[in-house]
Amino acid sequence: MSKLQNWSNILVLLIATLGFGLVVSGCDSGGTSPDSNNLGDVSGAITGQVIDNATSNPIEGAKVIVAVGSLDTDGESFSATTGAEGRFAITDLPAVTADDGSDTGEDPSATYGIRVETPEGSAYRDAYRGQVELAYGNNETGAIELGANITFPLQKNNGSLSGQLGVNGSDAPLRNTELRASQNISTGFNAEGDATGGDLTVTSTTTTDGQGSFTFENLVVGNQVELYAQFNDREQLVTRKSIPDEGSAAPVNNSVDVPPFEIVDTSLEPGTDADTTQPSITFTFNRPVVENEFTRTDVPRTGTGGQNLDSEHLIDEIILLRGLKKSASSGDRINSEELNPDNFRQIDISFNDDRTELTAVPTEPLGDGINYQFIATSQGVGGLSGFGVDDSQFSDLYGLPVSNSGRAFFEFSVGADNSQPAVPSVSFNTDNPAINDDGTFADDVFDYTDETVTAPLQIDEIDDSQAEVKGYEVYYRAQNQTGRNGTGDQFVKATAVNPSASSNEFEQTFGIIPANDVDSENFDDGALEFTASVGAFPFSAEDGAYGPIEWKVRAVSINNIRGEFTDVITTGDSTQVEVDPSADITPSDSTVTVSFSEALSTSTAETTGNYTVTKNGTDISGDVSSASLSNVKAQSRTQFNTTEVVLKLNNDFTFGDNIEVEVGSSVQDLAGNGVDPDNNTATN
């Protein structure tokens, strides 16, 4: 700072909460400042006037407080109260060269914090504060001193703004909407009283009532106010008004362009998997949904057939529908297929307290691994649609409909675990009369001539340890399959199982046993009992093949992931061999031909000791020189041919001889069944 100062150009620095102006004046200085070592010979004085900014009328009873350095330090303070002319004088202020009172060796100056406390009950703020720096100068007598004459122009804050607001495009008032009033207050003045900038923005808020009415109090008189309507993260300028003098309000009657009424968020991202079978789906709106009879969520429809719309409620207009099935794993992909379109799911819906969130929750668990559609809009699938948020009665508080109601069409699936399920344990059901206690088949249950074979099986225990299981697939391999004896020797899925899955549970239902009801009659001590059937004469084939049916099972998870197959178990012929009672003798060749009901084991059929032969009552078994087996085709167009054993004898006989052949039980079929002792003799 120069030693010679023009006091009329002294810079005034203000820090104000609402703001006040300081006008600083004084007389010209012509001398120089004293040496900084002689500060004890110098004192400061601050005089001035507190006036109304709009009228310049003096303000009596205002208390002016001056503190050395700053109001926020422990420095010494001085005060004075304005009189009838609004004037004050504070003298004998100490002169220092730094805020902390230390001597810096610089030209002497002084900084003071100033606070003006307004009279109680006045229309001004309770207090104003600022800061001023004074420099040396000569007074009229030539003495060197610090001094200033400051004018405080205070602004009244008893102005008001009121009115009623409506909504453009609607007859509804702008009800229950937050408003913001903003004023810029000038906080700096030069010596001539002109504003120099340093504006401070002051805001206040209120909310319109049910009719859109509002009032702002305690606004600064003479200043312009900007009025905004608040809509979440957006706001709309309503008007700009100048606040009139005390005693009159600035009226506002405007219509506001409000932002669209929208769905701004969903708790579950469309097209994703829910991690629970009862997902809570919440739609968040940018404004509250109006509360009326239609938007009730606690009462079902009172109309009939959907015709009386005035008697319906929102809960009737929202649909949760099973959509397309999720695909299986990539190694065993199954094409999706649409399910029964009438297969709706019941839901509970509710609003939060401020009605900005609508939440839908299924009343019962949904099937995992399945796609669903939440339909609360006119967009639908297969002719089905809901009209919840599209209904004219579903609006915000301004009567505006949802502008992006298509977002209320929501597709999702349930379940996200792609782990393979555990390998099950499969066995024959010993509770079935066809199965012995040791797991073998009872006699005469299955025969190689059977056109259809039904095997009683069981899953020994439901194992959800690796992934939750919703069912089991049954595969078989039998003699009647194409390529059974060639390179196409493959297992195929059984087409008939009982119990069988429904189309509501699986993307393809044949050959799958559901595992979702452990309390059903199909369970016994934790085991899932079922049967699997195979037709078209499965024990035999037209090319002469003959053998058992092989079975294996694999688990299917709730997300249609297939596990590994079980070990193979076998269903075989359990019927004993029968002998055709009529033997065919050929005297010229000394042979006896015996026919059997099915194909035989070569080793047992060609053992001569397994046959007892008598001629006219005399045992001639010792004369049997050989036994030759001829296993002809087991099946030809559903007609079964017999298997023959030709016995060669070393004994001549004629047509008149009575030949009888008794076959021993050691002769077995290909499944290991012996000859039936009640049907083991043939005679000519």
Side-chain angles (χ1 to χ4, degrees):
M1 182 178 295
S2 66
K3 294 182 179 180
L4 296 176
Q5 297 284 338
N6 184 339
W7 283 23
S8 65
N9 293 324
I10 292 176
L11 178 65
V12 179
L13 302 177
L14 300 178
I15 302 173
T17 54
L18 178 59
F20 66 92
L22 297 183
V23 180
V24 183
S25 61
C27 50
D28 292 338
S29 62
T32 61
S33 62
D35 189 279
S36 61
N37 293 324
N38 298 320
L39 290 177
D41 299 331
V42 179
S43 64
I46 298 177
T47 61
Q49 186 181 25
V50 179
I51 63 174
D52 181 90
N53 180 63
T55 64
S56 298
N57 293 330
I59 299 174
E60 183 180 4
K63 184 177 181 181
V64 180
I65 302 171
V66 175
V68 178
S70 171
L71 292 168
D72 300 319
T73 65
D74 295 330
E76 186 178 5
S77 63
F78 305 83
S79 65
T81 301
T82 60
E85 299 297 322
R87 297 189 178 279
F88 69 93
I90 300 176
T91 58
D92 297 327
L93 296 173
V96 293
T97 57
D99 287 347
D100 58 4
S102 63
D103 184 355
T104 65
E106 299 176 352
D107 292 336
S109 64
T111 299
Y112 299 91
I114 303 175
R115 176 182 174 89
V116 178
E117 296 181 354
T118 57
E120 184 176 356
S122 68
Y124 309 98
R125 290 183 60 85
D126 292 340
Y128 302 80
R129 57 182 291 163
Q131 193 174 64
V132 65
E133 183 176 345
L134 307 181
Y136 281 101
N138 295 332
N139 61 16
E140 294 177 353
T141 62
I144 300 173
E145 65 177 12
L146 284 168
N149 185 48
I150 304 174
T151 300
F152 294 90
L154 305 188
Q155 294 172 296
K156 292 181 179 179
N157 64 339
N158 65 342
S160 63
L161 182 72
S162 63
Q164 186 174 30
L165 301 178
V167 177
N168 278 334
S170 171
D171 295 332
L174 189 71
R175 58 172 71 95
N176 302 331
T177 301
E178 182 178 312
L179 303 179
R180 177 175 68 88
S182 176
Q183 286 185 294
N184 289 332
I185 309 303
S186 179
T187 60
F189 293 83
N190 60 20
E192 286 74 30
D194 298 325
T196 60
D199 289 352
L200 178 69
T201 300
V202 180
T203 64
S204 56
T205 60
T206 190
T207 301
T208 60
D209 61 18
Q211 286 71 47
S213 299
F214 70 96
T215 297
F216 282 96
E217 302 287 355
N218 300 319
L219 299 178
V220 176
V221 172
N223 280 70
Q224 181 174 268
V225 62
E226 292 182 339
L227 180 64
Y228 295 88
Q230 302 285 112
F231 304 100
N232 292 340
D233 58 344
R234 290 179 285 182
E235 63 181 12
Q236 173 73 36
L237 177 64
V238 178
T239 187
R240 291 185 175 93
K241 288 274 188 178
S242 179
I243 301 302
D245 293 340
E246 180 181 2
S248 61
V252 177
N253 291 282
N254 291 53
S255 292
V256 178
D257 291 321
V258 303
F261 181 35
E262 296 178 318
I263 301 171
V264 295
D265 193 21
T266 56
S267 61
L268 185 62
E269 200 64 28
T272 60
D273 277 316
D275 57 4
T276 173
T277 57
Q278 285 184 279
S280 174
I281 303 173
T282 298
F283 294 85
T284 302
F285 300 88
N286 61 337
R287 290 195 292 275
V289 176
V290 69
E291 186 171 4
N292 57 30
E293 183 65 19
F294 173 77
T295 58
R296 293 183 64 176
T297 60
D298 58 338
V299 181
R301 66 162 53 95
T302 56
T304 58
Q307 300 302 314
N308 187 359
L309 298 180
D310 291 338
S311 299
E312 296 205 6
H313 305 293
L314 179 62
I315 194 170
D316 306 308
E317 301 286 353
I318 296 181
I319 299 170
L320 183 60
L321 174 67
R322 285 181 180 272
L324 304 178
K325 292 293 184 176
K326 290 180 65 179
S327 296
S329 61
S330 58
D332 187 28
R333 188 167 297 280
I334 296 174
N335 292 330
S336 298
E337 59 183 20
E338 190 170 353
L339 301 177
N340 181 355
D342 294 327
N343 188 20
F344 298 102
R345 287 293 176 267
Q346 296 297 317
I347 54 175
D348 286 331
I349 59 175
S350 60
F351 285 102
N352 63 341
D353 289 343
D354 66 3
R355 298 182 68 81
T356 58
E357 295 180 353
L358 176 64
T359 299
V361 181
T363 57
E364 296 180 356
L366 303 179
D368 284 282
I370 298 175
N371 290 326
Y372 290 89
Q373 295 164 339
F374 180 90
I375 305 174
T377 174
S378 60
Q379 179 176 359
V381 174
L384 296 172
S385 60
F387 301 94
V389 300
D390 281 345
D391 195 291
S392 60
Q393 299 175 89
F394 190 98
S395 65
D396 64 5
L397 297 177
Y398 312 136
L400 299 179
V402 179
S403 63
N404 59 348
S405 60
R407 293 188 63 177
F409 175 76
F410 194 91
E411 293 184 321
F412 67 97
S413 55
V414 176
D417 184 3
N418 290 324
S419 302
Q420 278 193 321
V423 178
S425 172
V426 63
S427 62
F428 293 110
N429 176 17
T430 56
D431 290 337
N432 192 293
I435 309 299
N436 297 320
D437 291 341
D438 60 359
T440 61
F441 290 101
D443 293 340
D444 302 329
V445 174
F446 301 117
D447 189 9
Y448 92 104
T449 62
D450 289 341
E451 181 176 0
T452 300
V453 174
T454 300
L457 303 168
Q458 69 179 26
I459 303 298
D460 297 324
E461 184 179 3
I462 306 297
D463 187 350
D464 292 327
S465 59
Q466 295 176 206
E468 185 177 346
V469 176
K470 72 172 180 179
Y472 297 91
E473 290 180 322
V474 183
Y475 282 73
Y476 76 95
R477 183 167 62 181
Q479 303 298 313
N480 64 341
Q481 292 174 225
T482 301
R484 176 65 176 87
N485 295 317
T487 57
D489 189 11
Q490 301 295 322
F491 279 82
V492 296
K493 187 184 287 188
T495 59
V497 294
N498 184 37
S500 61
S502 71
S503 60
N504 294 336
E505 298 164 316
F506 289 84
E507 72 288 348
Q508 290 186 353
T509 59
F510 70 87
I512 300 182
I513 298 95
N516 60 349
D517 186 8
V518 295
D519 296 323
S520 75
E521 61 183 11
N522 298 309
F523 285 80
D524 182 33
D525 297 329
L528 171 57
E529 300 173 358
F530 66 95
T531 60
S533 299
V534 180
F537 302 98
F539 286 128
S540 58
E542 291 191 13
D543 62 358
Y546 177 92
I549 305 170
E550 297 170 306
W551 307 92
K552 61 182 181 179
V553 179
R554 66 180 177 184
V556 183
S557 77
I558 58 175
N559 294 309
N560 295 327
I561 304 301
R562 270 67 177 171
E564 300 296 329
F565 281 107
T566 63
D567 292 335
V568 173
I569 61 174
T570 301
T571 298
D573 173 13
S574 63
T575 301
Q576 292 177 312
V577 181
E578 294 185 359
V579 176
D580 188 329
S582 298
D584 184 13
I585 67 170
T586 307
S588 61
D589 292 336
S590 299
T591 61
V592 179
T593 301
V594 181
S595 296
F596 294 83
S597 60
E598 58 185 288
L600 301 178
S601 162
T602 301
S603 62
T604 62
E606 294 186 347
T607 299
T608 58
N610 289 335
Y611 304 94
T612 300
V613 182
T614 62
K615 182 176 73 171
N616 300 323
T618 301
D619 187 348
I620 60 171
S621 301
D623 290 338
V624 178
S625 60
S626 66
S628 301
L629 173 64
S630 177
N631 276 336
V632 298
K633 285 185 178 180
Q635 176 197 3
S636 176
R637 298 189 181 186
T638 75
Q639 299 299 314
F640 289 86
N641 298 321
T642 59
T643 294
E644 297 176 343
V645 174
V646 179
L647 301 178
K648 179 69 174 176
L649 283 79
N650 296 323
N651 193 322
D652 294 333
F653 49 89
T654 67
F655 284 109
D657 292 331
N658 183 18
I659 304 299
E660 181 179 271
V661 179
E662 181 180 328
V663 182
S665 60
S666 296
V667 176
Q668 299 175 349
D669 63 13
L670 296 179
N673 301 300
V675 174
D676 183 359
D678 295 329
N679 297 280
N680 67 343
T681 303
T683 60
N684 68 318

